[in-house]
Each structure stands twice: as C-alpha cells, then as structure tokens.
mmCIF file of all heavy atoms in Angstrom:
data_model
loop_
_atom_site.group_PDB
_atom_site.id
_atom_site.type_symbol
_atom_site.label_atom_id
_atom_site.label_comp_id
_atom_site.label_asym_id
_atom_site.label_seq_id
_atom_site.Cartn_x
_atom_site.Cartn_y
_atom_site.Cartn_z
ATOM 1 N N TRP A 1 121.677 87.955 82.447
ATOM 2 C CA TRP A 1 120.635 87.175 83.127
ATOM 3 C C TRP A 1 120.142 87.724 84.445
ATOM 4 O O TRP A 1 118.961 87.537 84.716
ATOM 5 C CB TRP A 1 121.289 85.675 83.257
ATOM 6 C CG TRP A 1 121.088 84.865 82.115
ATOM 7 C CD1 TRP A 1 122.029 84.458 81.291
ATOM 8 C CD2 TRP A 1 119.873 84.185 81.784
ATOM 9 N NE1 TRP A 1 121.558 83.599 80.288
ATOM 10 C CE2 TRP A 1 120.195 83.441 80.530
ATOM 11 C CE3 TRP A 1 118.565 84.186 82.178
ATOM 12 C CZ2 TRP A 1 119.240 82.678 79.881
ATOM 13 C CZ3 TRP A 1 117.637 83.457 81.450
ATOM 14 C CH2 TRP A 1 117.912 82.728 80.383
ATOM 15 N N ALA A 2 120.970 88.393 85.119
ATOM 16 C CA ALA A 2 120.536 88.987 86.418
ATOM 17 C C ALA A 2 119.534 90.006 86.187
ATOM 18 O O ALA A 2 118.439 90.041 86.815
ATOM 19 C CB ALA A 2 121.724 89.768 87.075
ATOM 20 N N GLY A 3 119.694 90.881 85.147
ATOM 21 C CA GLY A 3 118.712 91.866 84.804
ATOM 22 C C GLY A 3 117.401 91.261 84.355
ATOM 23 O O GLY A 3 116.376 91.638 84.501
ATOM 24 N N THR A 4 117.528 90.180 83.421
ATOM 25 C CA THR A 4 116.403 89.465 82.902
ATOM 26 C C THR A 4 115.524 88.948 83.934
ATOM 27 O O THR A 4 114.279 89.172 84.006
ATOM 28 C CB THR A 4 116.942 88.428 81.908
ATOM 29 O OG1 THR A 4 117.660 88.986 80.885
ATOM 30 C CG2 THR A 4 115.676 87.725 81.358
ATOM 31 N N VAL A 5 116.068 88.207 84.928
ATOM 32 C CA VAL A 5 115.347 87.606 85.853
ATOM 33 C C VAL A 5 114.779 88.498 87.000
ATOM 34 O O VAL A 5 113.657 88.452 87.379
ATOM 35 C CB VAL A 5 116.287 86.567 86.665
ATOM 36 C CG1 VAL A 5 115.448 85.999 87.926
ATOM 37 C CG2 VAL A 5 116.678 85.388 85.816
ATOM 38 N N ALA A 6 115.630 89.737 87.183
ATOM 39 C CA ALA A 6 115.005 90.838 87.947
ATOM 40 C C ALA A 6 113.748 91.364 87.359
ATOM 41 O O ALA A 6 112.803 91.735 88.052
ATOM 42 C CB ALA A 6 116.143 91.883 88.160
ATOM 43 N N GLY A 7 113.773 91.503 86.081
ATOM 44 C CA GLY A 7 112.530 91.997 85.373
ATOM 45 C C GLY A 7 111.402 91.067 85.516
ATOM 46 O O GLY A 7 110.283 91.538 85.791
ATOM 47 N N TRP A 8 111.549 89.713 85.456
ATOM 48 C CA TRP A 8 110.461 88.850 85.713
ATOM 49 C C TRP A 8 109.899 88.941 87.058
ATOM 50 O O TRP A 8 108.691 88.994 87.314
ATOM 51 C CB TRP A 8 110.979 87.368 85.457
ATOM 52 C CG TRP A 8 111.446 86.996 84.148
ATOM 53 C CD1 TRP A 8 111.177 87.829 83.046
ATOM 54 C CD2 TRP A 8 112.300 85.977 83.731
ATOM 55 N NE1 TRP A 8 111.880 87.251 81.867
ATOM 56 C CE2 TRP A 8 112.496 86.133 82.387
ATOM 57 C CE3 TRP A 8 112.768 84.836 84.443
ATOM 58 C CZ2 TRP A 8 113.240 85.184 81.635
ATOM 59 C CZ3 TRP A 8 113.589 83.982 83.712
ATOM 60 C CH2 TRP A 8 113.764 84.147 82.336
ATOM 61 N N VAL A 9 110.792 89.065 88.045
ATOM 62 C CA VAL A 9 110.317 89.168 89.455
ATOM 63 C C VAL A 9 109.615 90.496 89.705
ATOM 64 O O VAL A 9 108.576 90.505 90.390
ATOM 65 C CB VAL A 9 111.593 89.104 90.457
ATOM 66 C CG1 VAL A 9 111.163 89.355 91.948
ATOM 67 C CG2 VAL A 9 112.272 87.686 90.340
ATOM 68 N N ALA A 10 110.155 91.585 89.246
ATOM 69 C CA ALA A 10 109.505 92.834 89.314
ATOM 70 C C ALA A 10 108.039 92.797 88.716
ATOM 71 O O ALA A 10 107.050 93.251 89.261
ATOM 72 C CB ALA A 10 110.261 93.935 88.679
ATOM 73 N N ALA A 11 107.858 92.131 87.504
ATOM 74 C CA ALA A 11 106.645 92.160 86.826
ATOM 75 C C ALA A 11 105.667 91.269 87.692
ATOM 76 O O ALA A 11 104.539 91.503 87.844
ATOM 77 C CB ALA A 11 106.811 91.415 85.458
ATOM 78 N N GLY A 12 106.219 90.120 88.224
ATOM 79 C CA GLY A 12 105.342 89.334 89.207
ATOM 80 C C GLY A 12 104.813 90.127 90.373
ATOM 81 O O GLY A 12 103.644 90.005 90.757
ATOM 82 N N VAL A 13 105.689 91.056 90.875
ATOM 83 C CA VAL A 13 105.332 91.842 92.061
ATOM 84 C C VAL A 13 104.224 92.777 91.642
ATOM 85 O O VAL A 13 103.203 93.026 92.426
ATOM 86 C CB VAL A 13 106.525 92.595 92.651
ATOM 87 C CG1 VAL A 13 106.036 93.654 93.673
ATOM 88 C CG2 VAL A 13 107.491 91.594 93.231
ATOM 89 N N ILE A 14 104.260 93.318 90.471
ATOM 90 C CA ILE A 14 103.290 94.267 89.971
ATOM 91 C C ILE A 14 101.932 93.489 89.815
ATOM 92 O O ILE A 14 100.864 93.984 90.173
ATOM 93 C CB ILE A 14 103.630 94.772 88.585
ATOM 94 C CG1 ILE A 14 104.809 95.743 88.647
ATOM 95 C CG2 ILE A 14 102.378 95.479 87.855
ATOM 96 C CD1 ILE A 14 104.556 97.018 89.362
ATOM 97 N N GLY A 15 101.925 92.323 89.427
ATOM 98 C CA GLY A 15 100.816 91.475 89.335
ATOM 99 C C GLY A 15 100.118 91.187 90.651
ATOM 100 O O GLY A 15 98.930 91.229 90.819
ATOM 101 N N VAL A 16 100.967 90.947 91.660
ATOM 102 C CA VAL A 16 100.581 90.802 93.024
ATOM 103 C C VAL A 16 99.909 92.057 93.597
ATOM 104 O O VAL A 16 98.797 91.974 94.254
ATOM 105 C CB VAL A 16 101.709 90.272 93.980
ATOM 106 C CG1 VAL A 16 101.287 90.231 95.453
ATOM 107 C CG2 VAL A 16 102.213 88.904 93.559
ATOM 108 N N LEU A 17 100.534 93.140 93.347
ATOM 109 C CA LEU A 17 99.973 94.306 93.799
ATOM 110 C C LEU A 17 98.625 94.648 93.245
ATOM 111 O O LEU A 17 97.718 95.181 93.756
ATOM 112 C CB LEU A 17 100.908 95.545 93.420
ATOM 113 C CG LEU A 17 102.244 95.558 94.236
ATOM 114 C CD1 LEU A 17 103.227 96.642 93.714
ATOM 115 C CD2 LEU A 17 101.913 95.759 95.805
ATOM 116 N N PHE A 18 98.469 94.363 91.876
ATOM 117 C CA PHE A 18 97.220 94.536 91.162
ATOM 118 C C PHE A 18 96.115 93.729 91.801
ATOM 119 O O PHE A 18 94.867 94.100 91.865
ATOM 120 C CB PHE A 18 97.232 94.397 89.672
ATOM 121 C CG PHE A 18 97.522 95.645 88.876
ATOM 122 C CD1 PHE A 18 98.615 96.400 89.003
ATOM 123 C CD2 PHE A 18 96.477 96.122 88.112
ATOM 124 C CE1 PHE A 18 98.893 97.483 88.331
ATOM 125 C CE2 PHE A 18 96.600 97.274 87.337
ATOM 126 C CZ PHE A 18 97.832 97.991 87.546
ATOM 127 N N LEU A 19 96.402 92.530 92.311
ATOM 128 C CA LEU A 19 95.569 91.685 92.957
ATOM 129 C C LEU A 19 94.901 92.362 94.249
ATOM 130 O O LEU A 19 93.755 91.994 94.672
ATOM 131 C CB LEU A 19 96.100 90.349 93.309
ATOM 132 C CG LEU A 19 96.474 89.323 92.156
ATOM 133 C CD1 LEU A 19 97.044 87.969 92.660
ATOM 134 C CD2 LEU A 19 95.237 89.083 91.259
ATOM 135 N N THR A 20 95.611 93.188 94.828
ATOM 136 C CA THR A 20 95.217 93.698 96.119
ATOM 137 C C THR A 20 94.095 94.891 95.981
ATOM 138 O O THR A 20 93.385 95.041 96.954
ATOM 139 C CB THR A 20 96.469 94.312 96.913
ATOM 140 O OG1 THR A 20 96.939 95.475 96.223
ATOM 141 C CG2 THR A 20 97.459 93.186 97.131
ATOM 142 N N PHE A 21 94.012 95.441 94.752
ATOM 143 C CA PHE A 21 93.058 96.482 94.656
ATOM 144 C C PHE A 21 92.204 96.457 93.431
ATOM 145 O O PHE A 21 91.501 97.311 93.036
ATOM 146 C CB PHE A 21 93.741 97.937 94.735
ATOM 147 C CG PHE A 21 94.780 98.171 93.688
ATOM 148 C CD1 PHE A 21 94.369 98.648 92.407
ATOM 149 C CD2 PHE A 21 96.116 97.891 93.927
ATOM 150 C CE1 PHE A 21 95.363 98.853 91.439
ATOM 151 C CE2 PHE A 21 97.018 98.164 92.978
ATOM 152 C CZ PHE A 21 96.797 98.590 91.729
ATOM 153 N N THR A 22 92.309 95.291 92.753
ATOM 154 C CA THR A 22 91.403 95.079 91.586
ATOM 155 C C THR A 22 90.691 93.669 91.691
ATOM 156 O O THR A 22 91.121 92.901 92.634
ATOM 157 C CB THR A 22 92.138 95.169 90.240
ATOM 158 O OG1 THR A 22 92.894 93.906 90.060
ATOM 159 C CG2 THR A 22 92.982 96.420 90.048
ATOM 160 N N ASN A 23 89.815 93.314 90.832
ATOM 161 C CA ASN A 23 89.150 92.119 90.817
ATOM 162 C C ASN A 23 89.815 91.120 89.789
ATOM 163 O O ASN A 23 89.118 90.192 89.393
ATOM 164 C CB ASN A 23 87.678 92.254 90.546
ATOM 165 C CG ASN A 23 87.418 92.796 89.014
ATOM 166 O OD1 ASN A 23 88.249 93.450 88.546
ATOM 167 N ND2 ASN A 23 86.178 92.343 88.513
ATOM 168 N N ALA A 24 90.993 91.450 89.398
ATOM 169 C CA ALA A 24 91.693 90.572 88.487
ATOM 170 C C ALA A 24 91.976 89.178 89.043
ATOM 171 O O ALA A 24 92.006 88.995 90.304
ATOM 172 C CB ALA A 24 93.123 91.178 88.133
ATOM 173 N N GLY A 25 92.034 88.194 88.223
ATOM 174 C CA GLY A 25 92.080 86.752 88.592
ATOM 175 C C GLY A 25 93.497 86.493 89.187
ATOM 176 O O GLY A 25 94.560 87.153 88.966
ATOM 177 N N ARG A 26 93.629 85.361 89.928
ATOM 178 C CA ARG A 26 94.814 85.054 90.659
ATOM 179 C C ARG A 26 95.938 84.583 89.847
ATOM 180 O O ARG A 26 97.067 84.423 90.262
ATOM 181 C CB ARG A 26 94.521 83.965 91.804
ATOM 182 C CG ARG A 26 93.950 82.737 91.235
ATOM 183 C CD ARG A 26 93.708 81.732 92.382
ATOM 184 N NE ARG A 26 93.116 80.525 91.823
ATOM 185 C CZ ARG A 26 92.685 79.559 92.711
ATOM 186 N NH1 ARG A 26 92.682 79.756 94.007
ATOM 187 N NH2 ARG A 26 92.258 78.411 92.160
ATOM 188 N N ASP A 27 95.642 84.359 88.510
ATOM 189 C CA ASP A 27 96.717 83.966 87.606
ATOM 190 C C ASP A 27 97.610 85.266 87.169
ATOM 191 O O ASP A 27 98.596 85.116 86.438
ATOM 192 C CB ASP A 27 96.206 83.416 86.316
ATOM 193 C CG ASP A 27 95.434 82.060 86.577
ATOM 194 O OD1 ASP A 27 96.061 81.276 87.549
ATOM 195 O OD2 ASP A 27 94.620 81.550 85.915
ATOM 196 N N LEU A 28 97.121 86.396 87.518
ATOM 197 C CA LEU A 28 97.801 87.697 87.123
ATOM 198 C C LEU A 28 99.305 87.689 87.377
ATOM 199 O O LEU A 28 100.105 88.195 86.487
ATOM 200 C CB LEU A 28 97.127 88.881 87.639
ATOM 201 C CG LEU A 28 97.450 90.265 86.989
ATOM 202 C CD1 LEU A 28 97.065 90.244 85.555
ATOM 203 C CD2 LEU A 28 96.835 91.403 87.717
ATOM 204 N N PRO A 29 99.908 87.293 88.472
ATOM 205 C CA PRO A 29 101.320 87.257 88.670
ATOM 206 C C PRO A 29 102.167 86.538 87.716
ATOM 207 O O PRO A 29 103.085 87.170 87.116
ATOM 208 C CB PRO A 29 101.491 86.711 90.056
ATOM 209 C CG PRO A 29 100.181 87.130 90.748
ATOM 210 C CD PRO A 29 99.219 86.859 89.766
ATOM 211 N N TRP A 30 101.694 85.405 87.346
ATOM 212 C CA TRP A 30 102.530 84.607 86.409
ATOM 213 C C TRP A 30 102.349 85.052 84.951
ATOM 214 O O TRP A 30 103.252 85.118 84.086
ATOM 215 C CB TRP A 30 102.372 83.133 86.437
ATOM 216 C CG TRP A 30 101.083 82.526 86.067
ATOM 217 C CD1 TRP A 30 99.973 82.258 86.944
ATOM 218 C CD2 TRP A 30 100.557 82.245 84.671
ATOM 219 N NE1 TRP A 30 98.882 81.842 86.231
ATOM 220 C CE2 TRP A 30 99.286 81.672 84.874
ATOM 221 C CE3 TRP A 30 101.185 82.185 83.494
ATOM 222 C CZ2 TRP A 30 98.543 81.242 83.769
ATOM 223 C CZ3 TRP A 30 100.405 81.817 82.391
ATOM 224 C CH2 TRP A 30 99.151 81.266 82.506
ATOM 225 N N ILE A 31 101.115 85.619 84.629
ATOM 226 C CA ILE A 31 100.847 86.237 83.366
ATOM 227 C C ILE A 31 101.636 87.563 83.208
ATOM 228 O O ILE A 31 102.237 87.754 82.113
ATOM 229 C CB ILE A 31 99.229 86.580 83.194
ATOM 230 C CG1 ILE A 31 98.540 85.259 83.248
ATOM 231 C CG2 ILE A 31 99.175 87.424 81.975
ATOM 232 C CD1 ILE A 31 97.065 85.451 83.160
ATOM 233 N N SER A 32 101.861 88.263 84.306
ATOM 234 C CA SER A 32 102.608 89.422 84.362
ATOM 235 C C SER A 32 104.115 89.017 83.961
ATOM 236 O O SER A 32 104.803 89.841 83.294
ATOM 237 C CB SER A 32 102.586 90.182 85.685
ATOM 238 O OG SER A 32 101.302 90.609 85.950
ATOM 239 N N MET A 33 104.573 87.924 84.432
ATOM 240 C CA MET A 33 105.942 87.490 84.326
ATOM 241 C C MET A 33 106.082 87.184 82.756
ATOM 242 O O MET A 33 107.198 87.268 82.125
ATOM 243 C CB MET A 33 106.285 86.358 85.135
ATOM 244 C CG MET A 33 106.298 86.761 86.662
ATOM 245 S SD MET A 33 106.642 85.435 87.744
ATOM 246 C CE MET A 33 108.423 85.288 87.531
#
C-alpha cells in the first residue's frame, strides 16, 4: 500500500508540473492519479 499510494502522489505531482508549462486544464493532477 505504501508503494501504491506513493505512485498516486508522484503521478499527481507530474500533473501539477505539466500545469506550469502547458495549457492543460486544472483537472490534470487528479486525472494523472
């Protein structure tokens, strides 16, 4: 479960990072998760 949740968090961070340099919508972090 630790690895599983860490994967979700890391994916959410990727979504947040993409928001900083693309025009992707603000739903991207939870979609990434």
Side-chain angles (χ1 to χ4, degrees):
W1 271 105
T4 300
V5 174
W8 298 343
V9 173
V13 171
I14 293 293
V16 171
L17 291 175
F18 262 70
L19 289 183
T20 65
F21 59 85
T22 72
N23 66 333
R26 60 185 179 182
D27 291 331
L28 193 62
W30 68 264
I31 294 174
S32 298
M33 296 176 78

